[in-house]
Amino acid sequence: MGLYASVFPLLKSFVILFEMKEPLIHLLHEEQVRLFKELLVGFIKPDVVMGAKSSSRLTKLDISSQSNQLNAETMFLGVKAQSVNRKSTKKDFVVKGFMKQVVDAYTLCGKVLQDKLPLTNPLLQSLGAIHPETRGHSKTLSYMQKLPTYATTVLNEAETEEYDQEIRKFYIDNSLPEIEDTRIDHWWGKYEVVQKYPNLSKLVQALLSSFHGPQVESSFNVMNDVIDNKSGRLNLETYSAIQTIKYRLSADGKIAIQFFLELKRIPKINIRIFVTAILFVFEYS
């Protein structure tokens, strides 16, 4: 249990980070690499991990090779487990069996992350370039050039050409406001940023709207609460309206009746769908 208590916070911190409401998709690739490396240094020699300087090399790293693994004395076990291990003798078969299980567990976990994490995903790598603080880095410009190819419906041909000019100016622009503690979507929505870089801002805000955390799972949970034998004949528009309203209620911290009372202040809305959705919110919330 001591080993689990020491290793699990590493995985938990990654999950908790992406449970935040603000968009963090631009950090997803960097955090995945960090998570994988931090797990590896628990049982893989640091010089081996540091030698894999690219994401591609990380995916090809042989983590099951004993020559790349740390010995029992330097492997990360947590304070309690390490204390027991150091007090044991070479003839202690119980501890030796435990250490073999530890190595097997580390190796299996490492291989799962190595296979499942999209460490070489070009979209996630390119999205890292939208953070304002990456301006001036050698790969930022090339990554930003690729972004329109991942969201082909956001910019038309003329806007794409203007976008290419904007990213070059953005790359060397030192007059923009500091991001500091500002949410990245709020920073890209600032008046001065939008005015100077309308197409770049438009594309970035579209990309930041992508789901990248527990919201994906929660959207399925919402629909599971709505779809049953009674509501099987509802069309997709109604399902979408129900889901949208549930998210709005959750984001605003309001109950359904409060949202309903604001109906008159909402312009250009399909009243039939809205009222139908409200009735379902009352029934299923």
Side-chain angles (χ1 to χ4, degrees):
M1 290 300 294
L3 173 63
Y4 294 145
S6 299
V7 175
F8 281 174
L10 172 65
L11 304 175
K12 184 179 179 181
S13 63
F14 177 82
V15 175
I16 290 176
L17 174 64
F18 290 99
E19 284 182 346
M20 299 175 68
K21 291 185 177 181
E22 64 181 282
L24 297 172
I25 194 169
H26 60 293
L27 300 179
L28 189 53
H29 179 262
E30 178 185 344
E31 290 299 319
Q32 286 179 148
V33 172
R34 180 193 60 78
L35 170 66
F36 187 46
K37 283 186 173 181
E38 288 186 359
L39 177 73
L40 290 183
V41 294
F43 72 108
I44 297 294
K45 295 176 181 177
D47 56 317
V48 175
V49 178
M50 293 299 294
K53 295 183 178 180
S54 67
S55 300
S56 178
R57 289 186 179 181
L58 280 174
T59 61
K60 298 174 183 177
L61 195 62
D62 186 2
I63 61 178
S64 60
S65 172
Q66 290 186 353
S67 62
N68 289 336
Q69 295 176 350
L70 296 169
N71 55 40
E73 288 73 25
T74 52
M75 192 172 294
F76 179 73
L77 303 175
V79 175
K80 293 182 179 179
Q82 190 66 269
S83 176
V84 173
N85 181 53
R86 286 173 179 171
K87 292 177 182 179
S88 65
T89 64
K90 294 182 178 180
K91 295 182 179 181
D92 193 329
F93 294 104
V94 174
V95 174
K96 287 179 68 176
F98 169 73
M99 287 305 303
K100 183 181 184 307
Q101 291 179 333
V102 169
V103 173
D104 290 344
Y106 262 131
T107 304
L108 179 60
C109 185
K111 284 186 174 180
V112 169
L113 292 181
Q114 196 174 39
D115 293 339
K116 299 295 184 180
L117 291 177
L119 297 173
T120 58
N121 184 283
L123 170 58
L124 296 183
Q125 289 178 321
S126 297
L127 283 170
I130 67 178
H131 196 288
E133 293 181 354
T134 63
R135 284 175 296 152
H137 292 204
S138 57
K139 291 186 177 181
T140 300
L141 183 60
S142 61
Y143 280 145
M144 296 191 82
Q145 284 180 304
K146 298 175 184 177
L147 290 179
T149 64
Y150 302 120
T152 56
T153 59
V154 178
L155 303 178
N156 57 37
E157 186 175 344
E159 289 173 330
T160 302
E161 185 172 344
E162 293 174 359
Y163 167 88
D164 193 51
Q165 296 174 349
E166 288 179 11
I167 60 175
R168 298 171 191 279
K169 295 177 182 178
F170 176 78
Y171 187 76
I172 59 172
D173 192 346
N174 293 320
S175 64
L176 292 172
E178 296 290 334
I179 188 166
E180 297 178 342
D181 296 328
T182 309
R183 283 177 40 155
I184 189 168
D185 55 331
H186 293 174
W187 189 90
W188 279 102
K190 285 180 177 290
Y191 177 79
E192 55 265 51
V193 177
V194 175
Q195 284 294 106
K196 293 184 73 172
Y197 306 104
N199 298 299
L200 173 56
S201 177
K202 179 181 178 181
L203 179 63
V204 168
Q205 291 189 67
L207 292 168
L208 286 174
S209 68
S210 304
F211 276 178
H212 57 81
Q215 285 182 329
V216 178
E217 182 180 353
S218 67
S219 65
F220 287 105
N221 291 338
V222 168
M223 298 318 292
N224 286 336
D225 292 338
V226 173
I227 300 174
D228 57 21
N229 293 333
K230 295 180 181 179
S231 58
R233 289 188 174 184
L234 294 178
N235 59 36
L236 292 177
E237 280 187 335
T238 307
Y239 286 135
S240 179
I242 295 170
Q243 188 176 25
T244 300
I245 292 173
K246 278 184 171 287
Y247 275 127
R248 177 66 180 272
L249 289 171
S250 177
D252 292 353
K254 297 179 180 178
I255 61 175
I257 187 64
Q258 291 173 315
F259 193 66
F260 182 77
L261 292 175
E262 296 180 357
L263 174 61
K264 293 182 179 180
R265 290 189 288 169
I266 301 176
K268 297 181 180 179
I269 190 167
N270 188 318
I271 300 299
R272 180 182 63 81
I273 293 177
F274 183 83
V275 173
T276 303
I278 283 292
L279 294 176
F280 272 89
V281 169
F282 275 119
E283 183 175 351
Y284 294 102
S285 61

